[in-house]
Amino acid sequence: MRVIIADSPEAVARMGAEQCIRLLQDKPAAVLGLATGSTPIALYAHLIQRRQQGEVSFRQVRTFNLDEYIGIAPQHPQSYRSFMQKQLFDHIDILPENTHIPSGMGDPVAESRAYEDKIRSAGGIDLQILGLGRNGHIGFNEPTSSLSSRTRAKTLTQETIRDNSRFFSADEEQPHLAITMGIGTILDARKVMLLAAGAAKADAVKAMVEGPVSAMHPASALQMHPSALVIVDTEAASKLELIDYYRWVQSETLRVQGAYL
Ligand code: GLP
Protein backbone atom coordinates (compact mmCIF):
# COMPACT_ATOMS: atom_id res chain seq x y z
CA MET A 1 0.00 0.00 0.00
CA ARG A 2 1.41 3.40 -0.95
CA VAL A 3 0.49 6.35 1.22
CA ILE A 4 0.74 9.85 -0.21
CA ILE A 5 0.29 12.78 2.15
CA ALA A 6 -0.96 15.89 0.39
CA ASP A 7 -0.98 19.41 1.88
CA SER A 8 -4.72 20.03 1.53
CA PRO A 9 -8.00 18.38 0.50
CA GLU A 10 -7.59 20.24 -2.80
CA ALA A 11 -4.19 18.61 -3.37
CA VAL A 12 -5.71 15.19 -2.58
CA ALA A 13 -8.28 15.76 -5.35
CA ARG A 14 -5.68 17.05 -7.80
CA MET A 15 -3.40 14.05 -7.30
CA GLY A 16 -6.34 11.66 -7.54
CA ALA A 17 -7.44 13.27 -10.79
CA GLU A 18 -3.89 13.07 -12.12
CA GLN A 19 -3.89 9.30 -11.59
CA CYS A 20 -7.16 8.93 -13.52
CA ILE A 21 -5.95 11.14 -16.35
CA ARG A 22 -2.69 9.25 -16.66
CA LEU A 23 -4.63 5.99 -16.89
CA LEU A 24 -6.98 7.40 -19.55
CA GLN A 25 -4.07 8.74 -21.58
CA ASP A 26 -2.47 5.25 -21.53
CA LYS A 27 -5.72 3.38 -22.00
CA PRO A 28 -8.53 5.48 -23.52
CA ALA A 29 -11.01 2.59 -23.18
CA ALA A 30 -10.31 2.09 -19.48
CA VAL A 31 -12.89 0.81 -17.03
CA LEU A 32 -13.20 3.10 -14.01
CA GLY A 33 -14.78 2.23 -10.69
CA LEU A 34 -16.40 5.34 -9.22
CA ALA A 35 -17.44 6.43 -5.76
CA THR A 36 -19.89 8.93 -4.29
CA GLY A 37 -19.67 10.90 -1.02
CA SER A 38 -18.24 14.39 -0.64
CA THR A 39 -14.58 13.41 -1.00
CA PRO A 40 -14.48 12.60 -4.75
CA ILE A 41 -16.47 15.71 -5.77
CA ALA A 42 -13.34 17.85 -6.16
CA LEU A 43 -11.61 15.05 -8.08
CA TYR A 44 -14.56 14.94 -10.50
CA ALA A 45 -14.38 18.74 -10.87
CA HIS A 46 -10.75 18.34 -11.98
CA LEU A 47 -11.71 15.67 -14.51
CA ILE A 48 -14.43 17.95 -15.91
CA GLN A 49 -11.98 20.82 -16.21
CA ARG A 50 -9.34 18.67 -17.93
CA ARG A 51 -12.02 17.37 -20.31
CA GLN A 52 -13.07 20.96 -21.11
CA GLN A 53 -9.45 21.80 -21.82
CA GLY A 54 -9.36 18.88 -24.27
CA GLU A 55 -6.68 17.01 -22.31
CA VAL A 56 -8.72 13.87 -21.80
CA SER A 57 -11.70 12.12 -23.35
CA PHE A 58 -14.20 9.72 -21.81
CA ARG A 59 -15.66 8.67 -25.15
CA GLN A 60 -14.51 5.06 -24.79
CA VAL A 61 -14.53 4.88 -20.99
CA ARG A 62 -16.88 2.58 -19.11
CA THR A 63 -17.71 3.19 -15.46
CA PHE A 64 -19.08 1.12 -12.60
CA ASN A 65 -20.18 2.82 -9.41
CA LEU A 66 -19.68 1.16 -6.07
CA ASP A 67 -23.17 1.39 -4.68
CA GLU A 68 -26.73 2.69 -4.66
CA TYR A 69 -29.49 3.02 -2.08
CA ILE A 70 -32.22 0.39 -2.16
CA GLY A 71 -35.70 1.75 -2.72
CA ILE A 72 -34.52 5.02 -4.26
CA ALA A 73 -35.32 5.47 -7.95
CA PRO A 74 -32.54 6.72 -10.27
CA GLN A 75 -34.33 10.05 -10.81
CA HIS A 76 -34.61 10.70 -7.04
CA PRO A 77 -32.40 13.71 -6.19
CA GLN A 78 -30.53 11.73 -3.50
CA SER A 79 -29.89 8.67 -5.63
CA TYR A 80 -26.27 7.96 -6.43
CA ARG A 81 -27.29 8.03 -10.11
CA SER A 82 -28.43 11.66 -9.70
CA PHE A 83 -25.23 12.43 -7.80
CA MET A 84 -23.04 11.03 -10.58
CA GLN A 85 -24.98 12.81 -13.33
CA LYS A 86 -24.66 16.13 -11.51
CA GLN A 87 -21.06 15.80 -10.32
CA LEU A 88 -19.55 14.19 -13.42
CA PHE A 89 -21.47 12.49 -16.22
CA ASP A 90 -23.49 15.53 -17.39
CA HIS A 91 -20.28 17.49 -17.94
CA ILE A 92 -18.05 15.03 -19.82
CA ASP A 93 -18.22 13.20 -23.15
CA ILE A 94 -19.05 9.79 -21.67
CA LEU A 95 -21.74 7.71 -23.41
CA PRO A 96 -24.72 7.25 -21.06
CA GLU A 97 -24.90 3.52 -21.87
CA ASN A 98 -21.33 3.12 -20.62
CA THR A 99 -22.13 4.35 -17.10
CA HIS A 100 -23.26 1.65 -14.69
CA ILE A 101 -24.72 2.04 -11.23
CA PRO A 102 -26.42 -0.84 -9.44
CA SER A 103 -30.18 -0.47 -9.45
CA GLY A 104 -31.75 -0.10 -6.05
CA MET A 105 -35.22 -0.79 -7.43
CA GLY A 106 -35.26 -4.40 -8.67
CA ASP A 107 -34.66 -7.70 -6.89
CA PRO A 108 -31.34 -7.08 -5.10
CA VAL A 109 -30.15 -10.69 -5.50
CA ALA A 110 -30.70 -10.74 -9.27
CA GLU A 111 -29.38 -7.19 -9.62
CA SER A 112 -26.21 -8.04 -7.68
CA ARG A 113 -25.49 -11.07 -9.83
CA ALA A 114 -26.13 -9.09 -13.04
CA TYR A 115 -23.83 -6.28 -11.84
CA GLU A 116 -20.97 -8.71 -11.19
CA ASP A 117 -21.52 -10.20 -14.67
CA LYS A 118 -21.42 -6.75 -16.28
CA ILE A 119 -18.12 -5.92 -14.57
CA ARG A 120 -16.68 -9.23 -15.71
CA SER A 121 -17.90 -8.73 -19.32
CA ALA A 122 -16.27 -5.30 -19.37
CA GLY A 123 -12.94 -7.01 -18.62
CA GLY A 124 -12.79 -5.96 -14.96
CA ILE A 125 -12.07 -2.59 -13.40
CA ASP A 126 -8.75 -0.88 -14.17
CA LEU A 127 -8.88 1.72 -11.41
CA GLN A 128 -11.32 1.75 -8.53
CA ILE A 129 -11.75 5.11 -6.78
CA LEU A 130 -12.77 4.88 -3.12
CA GLY A 131 -13.74 7.15 -0.27
CA LEU A 132 -13.63 6.05 3.36
CA GLY A 133 -16.41 5.92 5.93
CA ARG A 134 -15.55 7.01 9.47
CA ASN A 135 -16.21 3.44 10.58
CA GLY A 136 -13.86 2.09 7.90
CA HIS A 137 -16.48 1.23 5.30
CA ILE A 138 -15.65 1.22 1.61
CA GLY A 139 -18.60 1.33 -0.77
CA PHE A 140 -21.28 0.38 1.73
CA ASN A 141 -19.34 -2.56 3.15
CA GLU A 142 -19.98 -1.92 6.80
CA PRO A 143 -17.91 -3.43 9.65
CA THR A 144 -18.12 -7.25 9.77
CA SER A 145 -18.62 -7.45 5.98
CA SER A 146 -16.89 -10.54 4.64
CA LEU A 147 -13.53 -9.59 3.19
CA SER A 148 -14.33 -11.76 0.17
CA SER A 149 -17.89 -10.47 -0.30
CA ARG A 150 -19.35 -9.78 -3.73
CA THR A 151 -22.03 -7.29 -4.80
CA ARG A 152 -25.04 -7.66 -2.52
CA ALA A 153 -27.56 -5.83 -0.34
CA LYS A 154 -26.28 -4.46 2.98
CA THR A 155 -28.01 -2.91 5.97
CA LEU A 156 -26.39 0.41 6.86
CA THR A 157 -25.15 1.07 10.38
CA GLN A 158 -26.77 3.80 12.46
CA GLU A 159 -23.50 5.73 12.23
CA THR A 160 -23.51 5.67 8.41
CA ILE A 161 -27.18 6.64 8.33
CA ARG A 162 -26.37 9.59 10.62
CA ASP A 163 -23.30 10.59 8.58
CA ASN A 164 -25.34 10.58 5.36
CA SER A 165 -28.38 12.32 6.86
CA ARG A 166 -26.88 15.67 5.81
CA PHE A 167 -27.88 14.87 2.23
CA PHE A 168 -31.55 14.33 3.08
CA SER A 169 -34.10 16.89 4.20
CA ALA A 170 -36.00 16.29 7.47
CA ASP A 171 -39.22 15.23 5.71
CA GLU A 172 -37.46 12.76 3.40
CA GLU A 173 -37.26 9.11 4.34
CA GLN A 174 -33.63 8.06 4.46
CA PRO A 175 -32.82 4.59 3.16
CA HIS A 176 -31.39 2.00 5.55
CA LEU A 177 -30.37 -0.47 2.86
CA ALA A 178 -28.01 -0.30 -0.06
CA ILE A 179 -26.67 -2.49 -2.82
CA THR A 180 -22.88 -2.40 -2.88
CA MET A 181 -19.93 -4.01 -4.62
CA GLY A 182 -18.38 -6.43 -2.14
CA ILE A 183 -14.89 -6.18 -0.73
CA GLY A 184 -13.88 -9.09 -2.96
CA THR A 185 -15.28 -7.19 -5.96
CA ILE A 186 -13.26 -4.10 -5.01
CA LEU A 187 -10.08 -6.13 -4.48
CA ASP A 188 -10.43 -7.57 -8.02
CA ALA A 189 -9.82 -4.11 -9.53
CA ARG A 190 -6.35 -3.90 -11.08
CA LYS A 191 -5.63 -0.72 -9.09
CA VAL A 192 -7.43 0.87 -6.18
CA MET A 193 -7.08 4.47 -5.07
CA LEU A 194 -8.63 5.67 -1.82
CA LEU A 195 -8.96 9.37 -1.00
CA ALA A 196 -9.59 10.77 2.48
CA ALA A 197 -9.40 14.25 3.94
CA GLY A 198 -10.08 15.89 7.29
CA ALA A 199 -9.47 15.06 10.96
CA ALA A 200 -12.73 13.09 11.21
CA LYS A 201 -11.12 10.41 9.04
CA ALA A 202 -7.82 10.16 10.96
CA ASP A 203 -8.77 7.10 13.07
CA ALA A 204 -10.20 5.29 10.06
CA VAL A 205 -7.06 6.04 8.01
CA LYS A 206 -4.81 4.73 10.77
CA ALA A 207 -6.82 1.51 11.11
CA MET A 208 -6.86 1.03 7.33
CA VAL A 209 -3.12 1.53 6.81
CA GLU A 210 -1.55 0.34 10.05
CA GLY A 211 -4.19 -1.75 11.82
CA PRO A 212 -4.73 -5.48 11.54
CA VAL A 213 -6.62 -6.72 8.48
CA SER A 214 -10.06 -7.23 9.92
CA ALA A 215 -13.69 -7.37 8.89
CA MET A 216 -14.24 -4.91 11.74
CA HIS A 217 -12.47 -2.36 9.54
CA PRO A 218 -13.35 -3.20 5.92
CA ALA A 219 -10.87 -0.74 4.37
CA SER A 220 -8.00 -2.66 6.02
CA ALA A 221 -8.61 -5.32 3.33
CA LEU A 222 -6.82 -2.95 0.93
CA GLN A 223 -3.59 -4.02 2.65
CA MET A 224 -4.03 -7.28 0.68
CA HIS A 225 -4.23 -5.47 -2.67
CA PRO A 226 -1.03 -5.50 -4.75
CA SER A 227 -1.57 -1.99 -6.10
CA ALA A 228 -3.37 0.19 -3.57
CA LEU A 229 -2.74 3.91 -3.38
CA VAL A 230 -4.01 5.96 -0.45
CA ILE A 231 -4.00 9.75 -0.86
CA VAL A 232 -4.74 11.67 2.34
CA ASP A 233 -4.38 15.23 3.53
CA THR A 234 -2.29 16.15 6.59
CA GLU A 235 -5.31 16.05 8.92
CA ALA A 236 -6.46 12.62 7.81
CA ALA A 237 -2.83 11.41 8.09
CA SER A 238 -2.31 12.91 11.55
CA LYS A 239 -2.66 9.64 13.52
CA LEU A 240 -0.38 7.51 11.34
CA GLU A 241 2.49 6.10 13.38
CA LEU A 242 4.87 5.86 10.42
CA ILE A 243 3.99 9.28 9.00
CA ASP A 244 7.67 10.29 8.78
CA TYR A 245 8.42 7.16 6.79
CA TYR A 246 5.58 7.83 4.30
CA ARG A 247 6.87 11.38 3.83
CA TRP A 248 10.40 10.08 3.36
CA VAL A 249 9.22 7.58 0.70
CA GLN A 250 7.41 10.47 -0.97
CA SER A 251 10.50 12.69 -1.08
CA GLU A 252 12.66 9.79 -2.31
CA THR A 253 10.10 9.07 -5.05
CA LEU A 254 10.17 12.73 -6.02
CA ARG A 255 13.98 12.69 -6.10
CA VAL A 256 14.21 9.54 -8.23
CA GLN A 257 11.15 9.95 -10.49
CA GLY A 258 10.68 13.72 -10.55
CA ALA A 259 7.08 13.29 -9.32
CA TYR A 260 5.31 11.88 -6.24
CA LEU A 261 3.26 9.34 -8.17
C1 GLP B 1 -20.84 6.90 1.69
C2 GLP B 1 -20.43 6.11 0.45
C3 GLP B 1 -18.96 5.73 0.48
C4 GLP B 1 -18.14 6.96 0.87
C5 GLP B 1 -18.49 7.39 2.25
C6 GLP B 1 -17.66 8.56 2.77
O1 GLP B 1 -21.30 6.13 2.73
N1 GLP B 1 -21.19 4.93 0.24
O2 GLP B 1 -18.57 5.22 -0.80
O3 GLP B 1 -16.76 6.65 0.80
O4 GLP B 1 -19.86 7.77 2.22
O5 GLP B 1 -18.20 9.75 2.32
P1 GLP B 1 -17.57 11.20 2.45
O6 GLP B 1 -16.55 11.28 1.35
O7 GLP B 1 -18.71 12.11 2.22
O8 GLP B 1 -16.98 11.30 3.79
Side-chain angles (χ1 to χ4, degrees):
M1 184 183 273
R2 273 198 72 196
V3 180
I4 302 284
I5 301 161
D7 291 341
S8 62
E10 169 50 27
V12 169
R14 192 169 12 88
M15 287 186 188
E18 206 44 58
Q19 284 298 102
C20 298
I21 287 160
R22 228 178 277 173
L23 168 69
L24 298 184
Q25 286 168 344
D26 279 0
K27 187 176 179 184
V31 179
L32 289 180
L34 301 178
T36 54
S38 18
T39 314
I41 293 178
L43 180 157
Y44 296 148
H46 276 280
L47 295 183
I48 295 167
Q49 199 187 4
R50 304 288 287 269
R51 166 65 213 134
Q52 284 164 355
Q53 291 163 353
E55 291 170 50
V56 68
S57 169
F58 296 83
R59 200 78 196 154
Q60 301 177 62
V61 170
R62 283 160 297 165
T63 65
F64 288 89
N65 262 78
L66 284 166
D67 45 17
E68 179 59 283
Y69 289 118
I70 288 182
I72 292 248
Q75 55 279 8
H76 188 288
Q78 302 312 336
S79 75
Y80 282 172
R81 164 58 72 182
S82 297
F83 175 98
M84 288 309 304
Q85 291 300 138
K86 182 165 164 234
Q87 302 296 344
L88 183 64
F89 299 152
D90 286 348
H91 314 286
I92 57 173
D93 60 340
I94 197 157
L95 301 176
E97 61 271 30
N98 287 346
T99 66
H100 304 280
I101 299 182
S103 164
M105 295 307 282
D107 163 27
V109 174
E111 176 58 25
S112 300
R113 202 173 301 131
Y115 203 63
E116 289 275 335
D117 288 346
K118 274 190 247 173
I119 296 174
R120 213 170 301 118
S121 315
I125 292 171
D126 290 303
L127 173 66
Q128 176 65 56
I129 297 168
L130 297 165
L132 178 64
R134 285 192 308 124
N135 64 2
H137 74 227
I138 45 176
F140 269 134
N141 293 286
E142 298 283 34
T144 72
S145 287
S146 156
L147 299 187
S148 58
S149 49
R150 312 301 307 185
T151 304
R152 71 219 181 287
K154 282 296 291 179
T155 305
L156 306 184
T157 60
Q158 302 281 354
E159 187 184 10
T160 298
I161 293 168
R162 260 195 314 275
D163 282 352
N164 286 342
S165 63
R166 66 188 194 277
F167 297 111
F168 292 83
S169 56
D171 57 336
E172 262 174 331
E173 208 187 318
Q174 199 186 330
H176 295 176
L177 294 172
I179 179 165
T180 179
M181 278 187 204
I183 299 173
T185 322
I186 292 168
L187 292 178
D188 281 350
R190 284 181 274 280
K191 279 188 175 183
V192 298
M193 177 173 75
L194 183 142
L195 309 183
K201 299 286 172 75
D203 287 319
V205 167
K206 177 168 174 50
M208 166 178 65
V209 177
E210 297 177 339
V213 173
S214 160
M216 279 300 280
H217 196 88
S220 65
L222 301 183
Q223 292 177 27
M224 306 295 290
H225 194 285
S227 186
L229 179 64
V230 169
I231 308 179
V232 289
D233 74 341
T234 35
E235 288 190 352
S238 60
K239 296 199 174 164
L240 290 170
E241 198 179 314
L242 298 187
I243 189 163
D244 293 340
Y245 175 61
Y246 310 131
R247 288 192 190 282
W248 163 241
V249 173
Q250 240 172 281
S251 69
E252 282 295 281
T253 311
L254 183 62
R255 190 172 63 83
V256 173
Q257 281 183 194
Y260 282 149
L261 294 167

